[in-house]
Amino acid sequence: MAAVSTSFVSSQLSGGRSVAVRSSSLKKPLLNLQPSSSHSSSLLFDRIARNLQVSGQGCRGVVAMAGSGKFFVGGNWKCNGTKESISKLVSDLNNAELEQDVDVVVAPPFVYIDQVKTSLTDRIEVSAQNSWVGKGGAFTGEISVEQLKDIGCKWVILGHSERRHVIGEDDQFIGKKAAYALSENLKVIACIGEKLEEREAGKTFDVCFQQMKAFADNIPSWDDVVIAYEPVWAIGTGKVATPQQAQDVHMAVRDWLKKNVSAEVASKTRIIYGGSVNGSNCAELAKQEDIDGFLVGGASLKGPEFAVIVNSVTSKKVVA
């Protein structure tokens, strides 16, 4: 797709929906970036959690989801934690009251996966942060899919921007890793996203679609794939895409799936947002029709705040 250069881009999406995407929202993110909140006390998150609750009347259902998949929230702990701090975090998660209609996954560092798996409630599944492209063997420093399955992992995060832009993994290599993981029945959180200079050059869609194509060219089925859109400029920076900026890209990615894979896959595949998501901004983001959940970084290291993000699914519901 050519770089966005007109005032609006119209795209016909699943179910006859149409959208006008402002090119300015793709080219000039810094005009609308929202700084993440520094408030992190348990009292604040308890208050937010109460505000997210639906009143005592019956819930009519999820009305703000373009896709048909269940809301999904993943916590990427990255290279953080000690045995002591992770024990505290697991305890907080075990004691949290989480909405039932959400799939919840956490991704500890490799060395703590077994500790987390043996102590964390079954309500929350465990993911790895990376895996090797094929069967294990003489690959120093790598972790195989088979080893991850052996210790109880259900998911793996692949294509995260830190793997792409710090470690140097390219699109095709990531696509092949995803294909191998799926072939061994390990589910995949497939990450895509543009850098700041790419967004400012109007190449947001080009970059995301190219990354999507690498996954599509390699994987046999989308049944066990969740797509995570994470604009690189918003990861760990304290800046977050506005709800409309995130919605524009999510809608375009769903349309790409419809046109290049199938309408069924476009509807069923969950597209989640990551990039400085926290307990203060999650509710507004969750209200967007094509945002099916979140991949959370720093805020996932705080049990009470992560619970607020999980429970933001209530923002998608209406009272009967």
Side-chain angles (χ1 to χ4, degrees), residues 52-63:
L52 286 174
Q53 296 302 310
V54 179
S55 71
Q57 294 177 311
C59 175
R60 194 169 67 202
V62 175
V63 296

Side-chain angles (χ1 to χ4, degrees), residues 147-162:
Q147 290 169 325
L148 295 173
K149 289 173 59 184
D150 187 43
I151 58 173
C153 279
K154 303 293 186 183
W155 294 83
V156 62
I157 300 171
L158 295 174
H160 194 280
S161 67
E162 290 149 9

Side-chain angles (χ1 to χ4, degrees), residues 211-232:
Q211 293 168 350
M212 287 292 297
K213 185 177 186 301
F215 285 117
D217 287 347
N218 285 281
I219 65 175
S221 169
W222 291 83
D223 288 347
D224 292 325
V225 177
V226 170
I227 298 167
Y229 168 59
E230 294 197 303
V232 180

